C-alpha cells in the first residue's frame, strides 16, 4: 500500500480564536461580525467559518439582531476553582467524542512532558477501538504518528536527547531504523500535512497526527484506523486537522 499525505485545510489558530473571543467579550450587548473583523483584522473569508465553529462549540451565540455575544461554554470555562476544572474536562471530553464520531476513528491527545511522550486523553468506542499499545508509546517516537508529530516540534538537540533515551527499534518491516533517514523525514515534514504512520508501529493499523498548539506545550491530536480502512485516512486526517482548534481551545482557556 502506497499512501502519500496531502495538505489539509489549515485549522484556525488558537491565537486568532482568542482575539475573536476577546472582541466579543468587550460588548455585553452584542457585536457584529463587521466590528469583530475591524478589531481583529481577520478577513471575512477566515472569520466567517471561525465564528461558525465558535457557535457550534458554544463559545459564542447570536442574538436576535445577528450580533454575537459570549456563549454558555465560555462562561463555564471562565469560572474558577473546582467548578472550572470540571467544566474544562467535560468540554474536552465532549469535543473529543464529537471528533471521534466525525472522523469515525479513535482519537488521541498526546503531549511531550518532561522529555517523554504521554497520551493524555483517548476517545474510543466499540466501533472505533484504540490501537493496542503492544510497545509503550514512550518508546515509539520514531515509529508512531504521535511520536513523529511530537519530534517534528523539537529542535535537533531535543530529538537526539529523546532518541538517546529511547533507542530506535524495529517494530514492523516498515519501521524507520535509521536516525539519519528519520531526521531527514522530520525536517521535510510540511506543517500543513498530517504526519502518518502506515503500519510502522503496529501491523494492521494506520495513524495520522497533527500538531496541537495550546500555550507553550508541545502536543498533537491523532487518530488510528484498522488497515482495511486505510482508504479513509486522508479524509479523516483532514477532518482531524479542522477539529484541532476546538480541542486546543478547550486546553487553553
Amino acid at each position: 500500500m502506497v499512501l502519500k499525505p496531502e495538505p489539509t485545510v489549515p485549522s484556525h489558530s488558537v491565537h486568532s480564536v482568542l482575539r475573536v473571543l476577546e472582541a466579543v467579550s468587550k460588548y455585553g450587548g452584542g457585536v457584529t461580525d463587521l466590528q469583530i473583523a475591524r478589531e481583529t483584522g481577520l478577513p471575512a473569508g477566515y472569520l466567517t467559518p471561525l465564528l461558525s465553529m465558535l457557535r457550534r462549540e458554544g463559545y459564542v451565540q447570536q442574538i436576535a439582531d445577528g450580533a454575537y455575544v459570549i456563549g454558555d461554554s465560555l462562561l463555564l470555562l471562565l469560572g474558577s476553582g473546582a467548578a472550572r476544572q470540571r467544566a474544562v474536562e467535560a468540554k474536552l471530553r465532549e469535543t473529543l467524542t464529537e471528533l471521534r464520531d466525525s472522523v469515525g476513528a479513535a482519537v488521541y491527545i498526546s503531549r511531550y512532558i518532561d522529555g517523554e511522550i504521554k497520551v493524555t486523553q483517548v476517545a474510543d468506542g466499540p466501533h472505533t477501538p484504540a490501537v493496542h499499545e503492544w510497545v509503550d508509546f514512550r518508546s515509539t517516537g520514531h515509529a508512531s504518528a504521535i511520536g513523529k508529530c511530537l519530534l517534528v516540534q523539537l529542535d535537533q538537540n531535543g530529538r537526539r536527547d529523546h532518541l538517546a533515551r529511547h533507542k530506535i527499534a524495529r517494530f514492523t518491516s516498515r519501521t524507520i531504523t535509521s536516525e539519519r533517514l528519520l531526521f531527514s523525514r522530520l525536517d521535510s515534514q510540511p506543517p500543513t500535512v498530517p504526519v502518518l504512520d502506515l503500519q510502522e508501529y503496529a501491523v494492521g493499523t494506520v495513524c495520522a497526527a497533527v500538531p496541537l498548539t495550546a500555550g507553550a506545550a508541545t502536543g498533537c491530536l491523532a487518530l488510528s484506523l484498522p488497515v482495511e480502512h486505510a482508504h479513509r485516512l486522508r479524509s479523516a486526517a483532514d477532518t482531524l486537522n479542522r477539529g484541532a482548534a476546538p480541542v486546543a481551545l478547550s486546553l487553553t482557556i
Side-chain angles (χ1 to χ4, degrees), residues 96 99 107-110 149 208-212 219-223 240 243-244 247:
L96 285 179
L99 186 56
V107 177
Y108 314 76
I109 293 178
S110 184
C149 191
V210 296
L212 190 61
C220 71
L221 186 63
L223 64 83
L240 184 79
V247 174

Side-chain angles (χ1 to χ4, degrees), residues 78-151:
L78 291 177
S80 60
R84 177 188 180 279
Q85 185 61 34
R86 288 194 296 271
V88 170
E89 292 173 355
K91 183 61 179 173
L92 185 57
R93 285 195 301 271
E94 176 189 343
T95 301
L96 285 179
T97 299
E98 290 176 353
L99 186 56
R100 177 202 66 192
D101 295 342
S102 179
V103 301
V107 177
Y108 314 76
I109 293 178
S110 184
R111 313 294 285 273
Y112 197 71
I113 303 173
D114 297 329
E116 298 293 351
I117 295 169
K118 296 185 179 180
V119 176
T120 55
Q121 281 94 14
V122 179
D124 58 357
H127 302 295
T128 53
V131 63
H132 172 57
E133 189 178 353
W134 75 283
V135 176
D136 192 320
F137 285 140
R138 291 178 297 179
S139 301
T140 65
H142 62 292
S144 65
I146 283 174
K148 289 185 288 183
C149 191
L150 293 175
L151 290 180

